[in-house]
Structure formats: C-alpha cells, structure tokens
Amino acid sequence: MEFNVRRLAADAGTFLSRAVQFTEEKFGQAEKTELDAHLETLLSRVESTKHWTEKIMKQTEVLLQPNPNVRMEEFLYEMLDKKVPMRANNHELLGECMIDSGHEFGPGTAYGSTLIKCGETEKLLGSAEKEFIQSSAINFLTPFRNFIEGDFKTILKERKLLQNKRLDLDAAKNRLKKARVADARSAELNSSPPLGEEYVAHFSYMLRFLHVRWLKLCAEEVQQAEIELRIAQSEFDRQAEITRLLLEGISSTHAHHLRCLNDFVDAQAAYYAQCYQYMVNLQKQLGSFPSTFSNNNQPAGSSSASIWVPTAQPAASLPAPPPSQASPALNELRSTSGTRKARVLYDYDAASSSELSLLADEVITVSSVPDMDTDWLMGQRGNQKGKVPITYLELLN
C-alpha cells in the first residue's frame, strides 16, 4: 500500500491546528465563530428529539416486557444477530396450568370444566399479547430505533464535520491576523532604519529586526493567508448549509413518528378490545353453567355480565324454615308499601342475580313490591339490594 507522507503530514498539521484553536477558545485566548440562531435552534430541536425518542423507546420496551432479565436476553440475541427463542408468556403459562388441573379434576365436573375454559381463554389472551408486542415492535419501536441509529447518526456526523470546518475557519482567521501584525511591524521598522555606520552600534535594533523577520516567515504571507481564509469560509458555509438541510428534516421525522404513534395506539386499542371480548365470552360461558346457588355479594349497579361461581348446596342439617308469617305487621307492610327492619333467622345463598344473600342474625331493611310473589320481600343492605324469602326473616317492631 502506497504511503503518502505529504498527506499524512498535512492531516497531522490540520489536526494540530484544530487542537490549538479549540484549546485557545476554551481558555478565552481566541475568538470563536458563532453559528446563526436558526441553526442553533435546529440543533437544539434535534437533540431534544433524540433525548425523548430514547426515553419513549425505553419505557415502551418496559411496558411490552416488564421483566428486565428477559429484555437483557433479547438485547443480547439481537446484538449477536440471532433469533430470539420462542417462549410462553405469563398468560399462556397460566392457561396451561389451568387446563392441566381441569383434566386432573375431570372435564365432566363443574370445577374441572370451568378450569379448562378459563385456561383456554388465558391462552387466547397470551396469543393476543404476543401479536400486540410484535405489532408494536414493527410499527412503533423499529422506526424510532431507525431514527436513533440512522438519521441521528448522520446528523451527528455532519455536525462534527461542521465543527471541524469552523475550527479551520477560526484558525485561518488567526493566521491572517498574525500575518498582518507581522507585516505591519516589519513595515514600521523598515520605514526608519538608523543611518550608515550606526547599524553596528545598534545591536538591539538588529535583534528586533530579525525577530520580526522570523515572525513573518513563521506566519503565512498576508496574501496566502487571505486565500486560505476564503477557502475555509467557503467550506464552512457549504457544510453549514448541508447540516441545516439535514436538521430541517426533523419535521418530517416528527410527522413519521406521529403516524407510528397512531399505529401504536390503534394496536393497543385493538389488543384491549380483543382481551375484553375474550373475557366477556368467558363470562357468558361460565354464567350458562347449571348451578343452584351463586355468590351475589356484589355492590348494586355492578355489571350484569358477572361470573357466576357455583357454590356448595346448603347443609342438610339446616333447620326447616317456619311457616310463612301472615302477621298483621306483614299485612301492614304490604298495604302501605313502606319499609321495616327485619332480622335474618338463617343463612341464605342467593340463587340468582335478583336475590340477596343473607347471614344469620343480621338486620336488613325490607319492603313490599307490587306484583311480587307473596313469599318474597325486597331486602336491602347498604347499597346491596335483592329479593329475600319471608320464611328466613323475622319482622321487627
């Protein structure tokens, strides 16, 4: 390979010149060319975009995969350019566990059948979650990552090049300034030299003269320095224009990210709607199971699509309820449509959503409702309300 000594020396000289200029600027010993306000605004906007894009990406990854160990494993597979192994998520693991236990207890039993149906729904939720994560990674995270690893790196490269061109420009300005100072001092000494034989006597004058000559030789000639300054100014302006065009493209990046954000919101809405539909279907399936008693201890105004959980039959040792109380108090309650306090004699499990479960010895409020069966009253406990059998109550005065 050909070794170009001149090119190496030129590059080393340029690097040294930039280093000297940068150091002098830091110590306040050299002037610095400032960028125009529009370019500075664009640079600040790009930096802000990069900062918040990284933060949004990080938090989205945490949302999609809360387990930091799994995220690190997926990152390592991505760095090694290997395919991430397929693994069951939490919903799918729970679904498998429910299905296995349901088969163990027996698909023909109410509990076993319910476990199997719940497990199948959990597996559907797991599949929907995987689809949502995949869609979000493709339509949301990938464009954001492409900006960080692609467009922003290009902008960073051009901005660094602009910084180097600015250092070259300021270094050329300093060389021209020094050359002009040296030329002025040389002209000043040459304009009034001592006469004749006094040159020998004025040794200090000779030292000053040689010193000025040396400054002029070390610095660039004024004409050459002006040429170099014009070249440096032209290259700086050209690079500033290239950088400005790239920075102005950040508006297009924001528009693209906006579309990606809309896609992410649509995917998230579809995912939650799908999960909701799965759960509603499961509720309907569980609600259709034959059961004599269900737990109805839920606040009034709750959704009617509640899950009915089969409960145990009442114990055979439960005392037989007394005959219906056709007492004057009951007749008065039915005729006035008022309310009375009643003490519960025995525990009662509601058989439907229109009934109210009771606990022995508690006191509730009862009232009569027109066209209601004569063996029932409307009971109320706080916000809970439902039908209660008269034979389980004792009206209080």
Side-chain angles (χ1 to χ4, degrees):
M1 183 175 62
E2 183 180 356
F3 187 73
N4 194 329
V5 179
R6 287 188 176 181
R7 181 60 180 272
L8 180 62
D11 292 342
T14 302
F15 177 79
L16 181 61
S17 174
R18 291 171 180 171
V20 171
Q21 178 64 28
F22 181 80
T23 304
E24 290 180 348
E25 288 177 358
K26 287 297 181 181
F27 285 100
Q29 299 176 354
E31 295 181 359
K32 176 182 177 181
T33 300
E34 299 293 340
L35 301 177
D36 63 86
H38 178 60
L39 196 58
E40 289 285 1
T41 302
L42 291 175
L43 286 171
S44 176
R45 190 182 184 193
V46 168
E47 284 292 343
S48 178
T49 301
K50 181 252 185 184
H51 169 73
W52 288 110
T53 299
E54 287 181 335
K55 293 198 69 172
I56 291 173
M57 283 176 53
K58 181 178 179 181
Q59 292 303 318
T60 304
E61 290 171 351
V62 172
L63 171 68
L64 299 180
Q65 179 50 262
N67 191 331
N69 296 328
V70 176
R71 289 202 307 272
M72 179 59 67
E73 182 182 350
E74 292 176 352
F75 175 75
L76 292 177
Y77 274 105
E78 184 178 352
M79 293 296 293
L80 297 175
D81 198 17
K82 291 186 177 181
K83 186 177 180 181
V84 179
M86 296 296 295
R87 62 169 63 88
N89 55 30
N90 293 330
H91 284 291
E92 292 175 330
L93 292 175
L94 176 59
E96 289 291 344
C97 182
M98 286 183 170
I99 292 174
D100 292 343
S101 61
H103 286 293
E104 178 71 21
F105 293 124
T109 64
Y111 184 43
S113 177
T114 302
L115 281 171
I116 292 175
K117 288 186 177 297
C118 290
E120 291 173 349
T121 301
E122 291 295 335
K123 293 184 70 175
L124 290 175
L125 293 175
S127 299
E129 181 182 358
K130 283 185 175 180
E131 293 177 2
F132 168 62
I133 292 175
Q134 183 179 8
S135 173
S136 300
I138 294 175
N139 299 324
F140 186 66
L141 289 179
T142 299
F144 275 46
R145 189 175 291 110
N146 289 340
F147 166 74
I148 297 297
E149 298 177 356
D151 295 347
F152 182 75
K153 284 188 175 180
T154 302
I155 293 174
L156 200 63
K157 179 181 177 182
E158 296 298 331
R159 188 179 66 178
K160 184 177 180 181
L161 188 57
L162 177 64
Q163 174 74 358
N164 291 336
K165 295 300 182 183
R166 186 195 63 76
L167 291 173
D168 292 342
L169 174 62
D170 290 337
K173 290 180 178 179
N174 285 336
R175 284 196 297 269
L176 178 60
K177 183 178 180 181
K178 291 178 181 179
R180 286 176 174 172
V181 169
D183 185 70
R185 293 178 64 182
S186 176
E188 179 183 350
L189 291 175
N190 289 333
S191 62
S192 58
L195 299 176
E197 298 177 352
E198 293 182 0
Y199 273 101
V200 178
H202 295 277
F203 182 71
S204 61
Y205 169 81
M206 294 298 297
L207 290 178
R208 290 177 58 198
F209 181 79
L210 292 174
H211 176 67
V212 171
R213 287 296 182 181
W214 177 79
L215 288 176
K216 193 171 182 179
L217 290 175
C218 291
E220 296 289 341
E221 294 287 342
V222 174
Q223 184 177 4
Q224 182 65 26
E226 290 177 347
I227 294 175
E228 291 181 356
L229 177 60
R230 286 195 295 269
I231 295 174
Q233 184 69 57
S234 176
E235 292 180 352
F236 172 77
D237 293 340
R238 177 177 174 275
Q239 185 59 39
E241 181 66 17
I242 294 174
T243 306
R244 183 186 63 80
L245 292 175
L246 282 175
L247 295 177
E248 288 178 347
I250 198 65
S251 298
S252 300
T253 300
H254 285 184
H256 180 52
H257 287 183
L258 175 59
R259 292 192 296 270
C260 296
L261 183 60
N262 288 332
D263 293 340
F264 176 69
V265 172
D266 292 342
Q268 201 169 21
Y271 166 64
Y272 288 127
Q274 192 174 12
C275 292
Y276 172 75
Q277 189 60 47
Y278 287 150
M279 298 310 298
V280 168
N281 294 338
L282 178 62
Q283 286 181 323
K284 291 179 180 179
Q285 293 176 19
L286 298 185
S288 65
F289 285 175
S291 59
T292 305
F293 297 97
S294 301
N295 184 9
N296 193 42
N297 292 331
Q298 58 181 3
S302 60
S303 175
S304 60
S306 58
I307 299 178
W308 309 122
V309 181
T311 59
Q313 296 288 342
S317 60
L318 183 67
S324 177
Q325 300 178 5
S327 62
L330 180 59
N331 293 332
E332 180 185 356
L333 178 64
R334 287 176 175 167
S335 62
T336 59
S337 299
T339 61
R340 293 288 294 272
K341 294 292 184 181
R343 184 174 65 88
V344 179
L345 300 175
Y346 315 108
D347 291 345
Y348 175 75
D349 290 329
S352 67
S353 60
S354 63
E355 299 179 9
L356 181 67
S357 296
L358 303 174
L359 296 175
D361 294 327
E362 70 172 328
V363 177
I364 63 173
T365 302
V366 295
S367 60
S368 178
V369 178
D371 299 330
M372 180 180 286
D373 194 326
T374 56
D375 292 332
W376 298 82
L377 291 174
M378 182 60 66
Q380 184 172 356
R381 183 200 306 111
N383 292 329
Q384 300 178 9
K385 195 173 183 180
K387 294 194 304 180
V388 293
I390 295 176
T391 55
Y392 283 69
L393 302 174
E394 178 186 5
L395 295 179
L396 302 177
N397 294 328

